[in-house]
Amino acid sequence: CSFVQQIIDKLPYKPSLIYDPFAGSGTTQIVASHNNIPSSYSEINPFMQFVIECKTNKIMEFINNLDENSEKLRRFVKYLNRNGLPTNNTLYNIYVKKLGTNRYFERSTLKNILQIKSTIERRFKDEPLLKSLALFSLYTIIVTVSNTIRRADLRYKYEEEKNYSDRNRCFASLV
């Protein structure tokens, strides 16, 4: 955010609109909003469109009804703690087939991700706001719990870079 803020601060005028042609994760839109500057963007990647929507609109929508939404999420966490996650080998097999490999995740990790995702979709099927934000929370740990690592780009982790306790901590942080 500080990079975008520095650019705005260096302008000799306050822009009437900021347009980001490659919005990525929506940082420019967030900084523009904090500066009371209208913004628009283009982003071709549907996943990144989802990320931007969650970061810019869904979180504000959640905050507008904070107490009720927080209580619903607390009930969801209690439900998960009480009932655990369902097991579904069919989902795992479908995803491995679609990915064309199982190298991206350890088997148990991918199963956990799919089980959490499935539980979120079922539990919040009639509440799109909470469903989006719960899925967004899950997606924030995907690279951390995978066999990939972000450096200059995304690559497979070397064996010594795999930290299974980090994976467990990430899953626990969601709950």
Side-chain angles (χ1 to χ4, degrees):
C1 286
S2 63
F3 173 72
V4 176
Q5 185 62 54
Q6 288 172 8
I7 291 172
I8 291 172
D9 290 343
K10 288 182 181 180
L11 292 172
Y13 58 90
K14 182 176 179 176
S16 58
L17 174 73
I18 294 178
Y19 173 68
D20 187 350
F22 307 101
S25 64
T27 301
T28 301
Q29 285 63 47
I30 291 169
V31 174
S33 177
H34 285 284
N35 286 279
N36 294 318
I37 302 169
S39 67
S40 63
Y41 68 90
S42 297
E43 179 53 59
I44 194 168
N45 183 325
F47 177 74
M48 295 315 294
Q49 292 171 358
F50 173 77
V51 168
I52 294 167
E53 177 64 19
C54 285
K55 287 173 64 176
T56 57
N57 296 325
K58 300 284 185 195
I59 290 174
M60 291 309 299
E61 192 179 332
F62 181 90
I63 290 170
N64 287 337
N65 201 354
L66 185 61
D67 292 338
E68 181 182 333
N69 289 327
S70 296
E71 181 55 34
K72 288 177 182 177
L73 287 179
R74 276 192 287 279
R75 286 196 308 264
F76 177 64
V77 169
K78 282 182 185 178
Y79 169 83
L80 283 179
N81 287 330
R82 187 175 54 246
N83 299 315
L85 294 169
T87 57
N88 188 336
N89 285 326
T90 304
L91 274 179
Y92 173 82
N93 293 332
I94 290 170
Y95 269 79
V96 169
K97 187 175 180 178
K98 282 188 176 191
L99 291 172
T101 181
N102 61 354
R103 289 186 58 204
Y104 295 108
F105 298 94
E106 300 298 323
R107 182 180 180 90
S108 62
T109 301
L110 182 55
K111 280 185 159 188
N112 281 341
I113 291 168
L114 295 173
Q115 291 163 343
I116 292 169
K117 182 178 186 285
S118 174
T119 303
I120 289 169
E121 289 173 339
R122 226 179 20 262
R123 191 80 173 164
F124 294 126
K125 70 177 185 267
D126 297 325
E127 301 197 57
L129 170 65
L130 296 176
K131 177 181 170 183
S132 291
L133 290 176
L135 288 172
F136 178 69
S137 296
L138 175 62
Y139 299 157
T140 64
I141 70 165
I142 293 290
V143 172
T144 304
V145 301
S146 76
N147 290 333
T148 62
I149 192 165
R150 185 170 303 286
R151 291 296 183 247
D153 59 359
L154 197 62
R155 65 168 171 76
Y156 287 111
K157 291 178 183 173
Y158 298 120
E159 197 57 42
E160 62 271 11
E161 293 173 319
K162 295 178 182 178
N163 185 336
Y164 298 103
S165 64
D166 278 354
R167 291 176 185 179
N168 294 338
R169 193 170 46 255
C170 284
F171 284 126
S173 73
L174 287 175
V175 177

